[in-house]
Amino acid sequence: AEYMGRRLAENAQQRRLKGKKKDAEAKKVEADQRALALMTAEETATQPHWARRHVACGLFRLLVGATLSSTYTPPEHEFGSRRARFEMRFEPLWYVFAPGFLSYDSFMSSCGLSGGEAPDPALIFQAAVDSFQAAQKAAAAAVKAAKTPTERDEMRAILRVAVSNGVTAATLLKGDAKAAVIDSTCFDMSKHPALAIVTVRSTATISTVAAAAAAPASS
């Protein structure tokens, strides 16, 4: 009888311990679910920000790669060149006696931008593709979670911009960038007021159109 009593007490103790363990596990699962829901809500709320950021970064990388591959030549306006912007921005510092003012040429040299081997445009185009893919993912999630029609329309516009520019970046990455041209007619602002859809023109097509325009009209 004494032995059976000890066994019953031990079994009861084990059941209590198992019950406490299950309760602890259930509380942990509940806490993890609350944390996941909070994290999901926070990530959902920041998706519009990341969509804008990734598509802007992709556009910058696309144009940098196009510039390095001579596909795109940035326009040189009166105050649009890098030297002019540098000098206008830091002109007040010319009057500082010490330390001496850093000239534009010295700045370019110190940054390693005045010479040496240029980066491979393919690496820049691949980075642009990655940015546009990230923008597509963020914008698609933001469209589903949008709380207002205005936000939904903007995210849809960003999604279209990211998809179109992703195709352009992938085309320049896989094809011959030197056989393509990006000029002022290749920037479409109809989908989003601040983010352009960039397209490319074939140099062969441009040459054909130019030749046709220069040819005398047949009588």
Side-chain angles (χ1 to χ4, degrees), residues 19-36:
K20 291 181 178 178
K21 185 177 181 181
K22 288 183 179 179
D23 290 342
E25 291 178 351
K27 289 181 180 179
K28 185 177 184 302
V29 170
E30 185 179 354
D32 291 343
Q33 289 176 345
R34 287 198 302 268
L36 180 61

Side-chain angles (χ1 to χ4, degrees), residues 192-215:
H192 194 281
L195 301 169
I197 292 177
V198 182
T199 56
V200 294
R201 301 174 63 193
S202 170
T203 53
T205 302
I206 295 174
S207 299
T208 302
V209 172

Side-chain angles (χ1 to χ4, degrees), residues 68 111-121 123:
L68 291 174
C111 293
L113 301 174
S114 59
E117 185 177 355
D120 184 2
L123 298 177

Side-chain angles (χ1 to χ4, degrees), residues 3-21:
Y3 172 75
M4 291 298 297
R6 286 199 303 270
R7 289 298 303 273
L8 290 173
E10 290 175 357
N11 291 338
Q13 180 67 17
Q14 289 179 358
R15 285 195 296 270
R16 285 195 296 270
L17 292 176
K18 288 181 179 179
K20 291 181 178 178
K21 185 177 181 181

Side-chain angles (χ1 to χ4, degrees), residues 23-63:
D23 290 342
E25 291 178 351
K27 289 181 180 179
K28 185 177 184 302
V29 170
E30 185 179 354
D32 291 343
Q33 289 176 345
R34 287 198 302 268
L36 180 61
L38 181 61
M39 184 183 302
T40 302
E42 183 178 355
E43 289 179 351
T44 301
T46 59
Q47 289 306 316
H49 162 77
W50 286 110
R52 299 183 191 100
R53 180 169 180 170
H54 285 308
V55 76
C57 185
L59 275 166
F60 176 78
R61 289 171 170 173
L62 173 60
L63 293 179

Side-chain angles (χ1 to χ4, degrees), residues 18 28 43 68-69 83 95 116 127 141 158-159 167 172 200:
K18 288 181 179 179
K28 185 177 184 302
E43 289 179 351
L68 291 174
S69 63
R83 179 182 294 274
Y95 305 100
I158 288 180
L159 182 59
V167 172
L172 293 173
V200 294

Side-chain angles (χ1 to χ4, degrees), residues 54-156:
H54 285 308
V55 76
C57 185
L59 275 166
F60 176 78
R61 289 171 170 173
L62 173 60
L63 293 179
V64 168
T67 302
L68 291 174
S69 63
S70 300
T71 304
Y72 172 66
T73 302
E76 290 287 350
H77 301 297
E78 181 180 359
F79 300 111
S81 69
R82 294 188 179 96
R83 179 182 294 274
R85 292 198 302 270
F86 180 91
E87 293 177 350
M88 289 184 64
R89 182 172 299 171
F90 299 107
E91 181 180 3
L93 299 180
W94 290 358
Y95 305 100
V96 177
F97 180 74
F101 178 73
L102 183 68
S103 68
Y104 177 76
D105 293 331
S106 299
F107 166 74
M108 294 293 287
S109 177
S110 64
C111 293
L113 301 174
S114 59
E117 185 177 355
D120 184 2
L123 298 177
I124 311 299
F125 288 137
Q126 181 60 62
V129 171
D130 296 340
S131 292
F132 289 131
Q133 289 177 348
Q136 292 176 42
K137 183 178 179 180
V143 168
K144 295 179 181 179
K147 296 181 179 180
T148 64
T150 301
E151 182 180 344
R152 186 178 297 108
D153 290 344
E154 184 194 3
M155 290 300 106
R156 284 175 176 168

